Amino acid sequence: MTAQGTEEETERQARVVFTPAGRRGQFALGTPVLQAAWELGVDIASICGGRGLCGRCRVVCSEGEFPKHGIVSKPDHLSPAGTVETRFGERNQPLAPGHRLSCQAAIQGDLLIDVPQESQVHRQVVRKEADSRPIRLDPVVRLYLVQVTPADLEGSGSDLTRLLDALETQWNLRPAFPAVLLPDLQGVLRAGEWSVTVAVHQDAEILAIWPGFKESVYGVAIDVGSTTIAGHLCDLGSGDVLSSNGMMNPQIRFGEDLMSRVSYVMMHPDGRDELTREVRRAVNELVAGTAEDGGVDPQDILGLTFVCNPIMHHLLLGISPVKLGEAPFALAVDESVRVAARDLGLEINPGAVAYVLPCIAGHVGADTAGMVLSEQPHGGGAVSLLVDIGTNAEIVLGNDQRLLACSSPTGPAFEGAQVSAGQRAAPGAIERVRIDPVTRESRIRVIGSDLWSDEPGFTDALPAQGVTGICGSGIIEAVVEMWLAGILTSDGVIDGRESSRSGRLVRNGRTFSFVIHGVEDGKQVTVTQTDVRQIQLAKAALFAGIRLLMDRLDVTSVDRIRLAGAFGSHIDVRYAMALGMIPDCPLDAVSAAGNAAGHGARIALLNLASRGEIESVVRRVEKVETAIEPNFQAYFVDAMGIPGGTHAFPDRVRAASDRPARAQRRRSRRTPTRKSN
Amino acid sequence: MTAQGTEEETERQARVVFTPAGRRGQFALGTPVLQAAWELGVDIASICGGRGLCGRCRVVCSEGEFPKHGIVSKPDHLSPAGTVETRFGERNQPLAPGHRLSCQAAIQGDLLIDVPQESQVHRQVVRKEADSRPIRLDPVVRLYLVQVTPADLEGSGSDLTRLLDALETQWNLRPAFPAVLLPDLQGVLRAGEWSVTVAVHQDAEILAIWPGFKESVYGVAIDVGSTTIAGHLCDLGSGDVLSSNGMMNPQIRFGEDLMSRVSYVMMHPDGRDELTREVRRAVNELVAGTAEDGGVDPQDILGLTFVCNPIMHHLLLGISPVKLGEAPFALAVDESVRVAARDLGLEINPGAVAYVLPCIAGHVGADTAGMVLSEQPHGGGAVSLLVDIGTNAEIVLGNDQRLLACSSPTGPAFEGAQVSAGQRAAPGAIERVRIDPVTRESRIRVIGSDLWSDEPGFTDALPAQGVTGICGSGIIEAVVEMWLAGILTSDGVIDGRESSRSGRLVRNGRTFSFVIHGVEDGKQVTVTQTDVRQIQLAKAALFAGIRLLMDRLDVTSVDRIRLAGAFGSHIDVRYAMALGMIPDCPLDAVSAAGNAAGHGARIALLNLASRGEIESVVRRVEKVETAIEPNFQAYFVDAMGIPGGTHAFPDRVRAASDRPARAQRRRSRRTPTRKSN
């Protein structure tokens, strides 16, 4: 390569400016634009290394006078398109007008060259969901086309030596070559007539090798929840999501909640084996499904990332979760784990590498790490509160100075479990409740219908199942509305004194229940005294956990609250605040984070630097173990009352309570899978 | 730890000298001897890190006045043996008189401390075979006992983090921990009550972990020949050989010689799979056998090393050998290969690592690299010639300046194949032949008997099989003796003109045969004209290869000749020289190298530095491909005559020809397995 400005002085040179990088230099006429860009450190992608095969290095010549740079740039300051570019256009789609392959176009005069997003290695992935941050590509696995010197009798070394020498000469890389790839090496080299594409992991290790030019490899970001397992298949080079898929976690047959699965392992000698086999089988099925949907050969999948709670994390890795079920809740491993996909029994490319995000503590898993990576609470001075509500609530609080995390034992009431008419958020479940404070009549809305029960056509618009029960967000609204209507005392007692005035108040022995729906027909959905207690216990646990972290961080308010997961997408935050689940905060600073854990898995899949980032962030997270915090119990008792929190109430809730949150609901229903932890 | 001489000046100090290292220093009274030794960089072993459990750190106090060091050393300048040493003696054998555990004995006055060989990490392994060099221990895998902080609720990190932290604090190591070991981690830590022994590979990666104190781990050095597979089980910490074992290579059913196995792979779609499965199955069987014989649990085997010819090398690693069967004989890989034993399907500890020595060229394999490592031709200025004779002969020539290697196509005649009465060296085979130049009567000796056929009791002393044929060394002696007796012309024609004078000369059509044995009974062993031609072709190929290398190195003589393998151990070197197989050289500079390749595998198993050494030596070996050397054919034709070579002949042969080489034969028979390549 000739360097700019250092060759013979008689050589004719031109000035070239690259945008948006803003780099500039002088180059001898005839220098390919790609070479000039690389010499200046301008980020232009290439798999084929300048052979006009991959088309990744397209650039556009900006035409005009650029006084700032002192140049006049014209398309004809580039060498005319030759046969290589013509052939590229024939084999693929023709190049867009004004686009040139920078490896073929040579500098013939002053130029201002624009490198479009799609030609940059480190481009931004266009975000699909409004509530998740864009991802900057920093490929973990990259493809390189190499021309290998053919074998000869002159002692030129083994095929592997010549391959590695070619990689070093042509790409300045000397990665390791794992022994398991050796059986295919010679066949691939000859099938490609000594031209092969290698996939290199972190520029350090070859994962796979194909004859000739290979355009794309893929990865799957996987969120292994207790209830569902979801995966996104992505192109590792472009970041595009090709397909998304979800399925039930087959471990459910060993127990709905995690603790019953831990018990199963304790009671059965092969229990851990069984559960591990089941989850790996499910992951295999999921990955195969995403590959099929995305039209991708599973052999082209080279990377996986996983987020999961600590118990799923251990089971996935074949580690018994028993120690996580008893104090001191010791994780076998909390650092990130890198493991060959074949060691997990996954049937994708044998060179594929799985990356499991780090866990934070015994109850705060890699899913929370994924949430942190996605939500970036450490990214600035504003104090963020992240809450992911499942059977436990994982809570993260802090900013770029300090970050704290804990898990709070909310129990599954917010998921609709352990509530008499409770159910998972699914079509037919009551998700919105309003009670008239005067008449004490209630009206509802169910998942699967946009109509309130007092609107015309409600019954016809119901989903096929009819009204089947009440989900977490519904029960929360019911409890708040009951209190607003004076049916519930601040201690959480359903006040039966007026039962004669309302047919909805029903006596059960010494306590009362409130009929939310169906007072006139046979099918009733009721909130019992025990249900109210469950919700009180859950919200008190959550709030006590948050208060503990706020104490530790020495703050009395937060700047931003993000509610992650399916629950966070369903809940009306005004009610969450009214019930005292979360601290007072301007309403517009509270929002749903969507599947933040899963989004974190996708970031880790596509951006190498993010792995180091989350590992270092997790290391400095201060872990708070609620079980041994002296204040936790007191805070918990404090938070039992209704309403909770410290906020101006109930005006704000009331003021907004009749605006249906349709937009939010529609968005969450479009998400193909719901994380339920 | 307190450093010597830098603490408060009032602190009382003593002078301590360590032998044989010759290191010395001043230490505060009360310093444990082991600590003092480590601070001075004196090589003392320890697994338990100073807890008085492993007993590896024993030292002896030398008593007396040592004016050179200015000290008087006395045993009572060490603290008295306390309960730890007493308990060690009770649990194990009592310490020998004068021996102390250096981790327990504290410095109380001036001392001269002797560190015996067995307490050094880098000790010499006592050699068992007279013809192999001693091995200096430089353990590839080392054991470390660590005390891990128990899990608590205070956020002390995962079990793994605490284990790695303990290794760093207690041993100054931070090795990687592979994901496949995670499932056992928590159980092992608790079973050992937070005291565990870890096996660390190259101080960089943990291979295995056991509860409590673990004393020994093992490795097997394996020589995979075309015909036999042999292994030595060694203690990786002491270098002791615990058992040796050999078996037939089951691939023989796919073809005796390597080329027929390559053909099998070419002809059968699953041929490579089958052959790989067979050799790996055999290696598993061999390793299991050595473990059983050595009384070792296969789970305690953590290392394997392999030497093998290129075709076995490829088949073992699952690589098709087809490219090695056709020009340009390209190896898939020539560099050393490190591979997880489980990826080879080997049923030992799942963390075990196999190391395959590098290959030199398409016909010069890892077995030759093992021979080089064992024979060290690069160790000095003397020009060594190493020859390993199998179906091909591998030839290495050179010194510390240059090293050359080639393979010469001798064919299998030296192994007794393609010879009419030929057979493998086994009981009943004629291995010695003498012909009276006057009477032309011959006498013989067979493997399995010490008597010559003209000695009384010969028939009774024969092995059960009787006389079954003639092996490689026998046919060589027969040809030389036939020439000495005037039965053979210098062109290699059996001269039938005197057939009337000797009943041993028999006509076959247009040529004659010579009856070596059994002229009076029915069972005859005969040397035919074709047999002589086979031997001529073989020895000419060998000599032409050697001459080519000597030409290249620009030498006309060599300083040392080493004949490796079973053939090298059986042959009488005078006959080899007489026949012109090897160049002229003082007889006492020619010797058998035994199983040099296998010895090289043992060196690589026990000495980490030797791996880097052989890798770098192999890289600079100049490969000579006989197939494309213009001179090879001419040299080959030149070398066809009998006698060959350039030596004073036949006086030297004749002079010694009647001294039976019994000692040599006995030694070779004691070797449990014979390498036959």
Side-chain angles (χ1 to χ4, degrees), chain A residues 158-161 186 330-332 334, chain B residues 159-161 186 330-332 334:
Chain A
S158 67
D159 283 349
L160 177 59
T161 304
Q186 294 194 305
L331 287 157
D334 53 5
Chain B
D159 283 349
L160 177 60
T161 303
Q186 295 195 304
L331 286 157
D334 52 5

Side-chain angles (χ1 to χ4, degrees), chain A residues 151-155 157-162 164 174 178-180 182-186 190 194 272 314 317-324 326-335 337-339 342-343 623 625 627-628, chain B residues 151-155 157-162 164 174 178-180 182-186 190 194 272 314 317-324 326-335 337-339 342-343 623 625 627-628:
Chain A
D152 63 27
L153 279 164
E154 313 295 332
S158 67
D159 283 349
L160 177 59
T161 304
R162 276 175 281 106
L164 295 178
R174 190 94 197 176
V180 289
L182 284 170
D184 293 331
L185 175 62
Q186 294 194 305
R190 284 156 184 82
W194 307 97
R272 205 276 305 145
H314 276 38
L317 291 170
I319 307 168
S320 166
V322 165
K323 295 287 160 249
L324 296 172
E326 60 196 29
F329 314 109
L331 287 157
V333 54
D334 53 5
E335 300 192 27
V337 174
R338 189 190 142 170
V339 56
R342 67 178 180 282
D343 284 334
K623 292 99 187 164
E625 179 50 69
I628 57 164
Chain B
D152 62 29
L153 280 163
E154 312 295 331
S158 67
D159 283 349
L160 177 60
T161 303
R162 277 175 280 105
L164 295 178
R174 190 96 197 176
V180 289
L182 284 170
D184 293 330
L185 176 62
Q186 295 195 304
R190 284 156 186 82
W194 306 99
R272 204 276 306 146
H314 276 39
L317 290 171
I319 307 168
S320 166
V322 164
K323 295 285 160 255
L324 296 171
E326 59 196 32
F329 315 109
L331 286 157
V333 54
D334 52 5
E335 300 194 24
V337 174
R338 188 191 142 169
V339 57
R342 66 178 181 283
D343 283 334
K623 293 99 186 165
E625 180 50 68
I628 55 164

Side-chain angles (χ1 to χ4, degrees), chain B residues 424-444:
Chain B
R424 212 178 288 289
I430 296 171
E431 61 168 346
R432 298 275 171 262
V433 176
R434 297 291 179 272
I435 301 173
D436 188 303
V438 178
T439 66
R440 293 178 175 175
E441 281 306 294
S442 73
R443 55 201 180 97
I444 60 157

Side-chain angles (χ1 to χ4, degrees), chain A residues 16-25 27 36-43 69 113:
Chain A
V16 184
V17 181
F18 288 93
T19 57
R23 305 271 171 99
R24 51 187 299 165
F27 296 89
W38 283 358
E39 284 181 23
L40 292 174
V42 172
D43 178 16
H69 302 295
I113 297 286

Side-chain angles (χ1 to χ4, degrees), chain B residues 71-290:
Chain B
I71 60 170
V72 174
S73 170
K74 293 180 188 176
D76 64 6
H77 285 180
L78 286 171
S79 60
T83 49
V84 173
E85 278 172 285
T86 313
R87 221 179 302 138
F88 176 83
E90 285 162 10
R91 262 202 321 272
N92 305 277
Q93 286 179 338
L95 289 169
H99 281 68
R100 295 294 306 276
L101 297 185
S102 65
C103 64
Q104 300 300 318
I107 298 164
Q108 303 288 7
D110 291 350
L111 285 162
L112 191 136
I113 297 285
D114 186 55
V115 183
Q117 267 280 342
E118 60 270 23
S119 296
Q120 299 171 19
V121 175
H122 299 96
R123 61 184 172 280
Q124 300 275 338
V125 179
V126 179
R127 50 184 170 169
K128 298 222 165 169
E129 299 116 34
D131 52 6
S132 61
R133 309 162 66 94
I135 301 174
R136 182 168 184 271
L137 262 192
D138 176 13
V140 177
V141 178
R142 289 185 65 178
L143 295 173
Y144 298 95
L145 181 72
V146 271
Q147 303 296 330
V148 181
T149 312
D152 62 29
L153 280 163
E154 312 295 331
S156 53
S158 67
D159 283 349
L160 177 60
T161 303
R162 277 175 280 105
L163 169 65
L164 295 178
D165 287 349
L167 261 170
E168 186 153 16
T169 314
Q170 294 161 40
W171 290 102
N172 201 23
L173 291 176
R174 190 96 197 176
F177 189 92
V180 289
L181 292 183
L182 284 170
D184 293 330
L185 176 62
Q186 295 195 304
V188 169
L189 282 169
R190 284 156 186 82
E193 293 174 339
W194 306 99
S195 163
V196 295
T197 305
V198 295
V200 185
H201 186 259
Q202 299 192 13
D203 281 351
E205 188 186 359
I206 294 176
L207 298 187
I209 169 168
W210 295 269
F213 173 60
K214 175 89 183 170
E215 188 148 16
S216 303
V217 288
Y218 307 92
V220 189
I222 301 173
D223 178 2
V224 184
S226 323
T227 312
T228 56
I229 305 183
H232 298 283
L233 176 73
C234 302
D235 183 317
L236 292 179
S238 70
D240 296 342
V241 175
L242 278 81
S243 67
S244 296
N245 229 313
M247 62 186 295
M248 296 303 282
N249 185 335
Q251 290 184 344
I252 281 182
R253 69 181 176 87
F254 300 93
E256 280 252 346
D257 64 297
L258 288 169
M259 275 309 139
S260 47
R261 295 183 209 168
V262 173
S263 304
Y264 186 88
V265 173
M266 278 183 189
M267 313 293 282
H268 296 81
D270 295 328
R272 204 276 306 146
D273 264 359
E274 278 182 85
L275 285 163
T276 296
R277 213 180 308 124
E278 283 293 289
V279 68
R280 290 182 180 176
R281 190 178 58 70
V283 169
N284 261 325
E285 204 179 299
L286 177 83
V287 169
T290 58

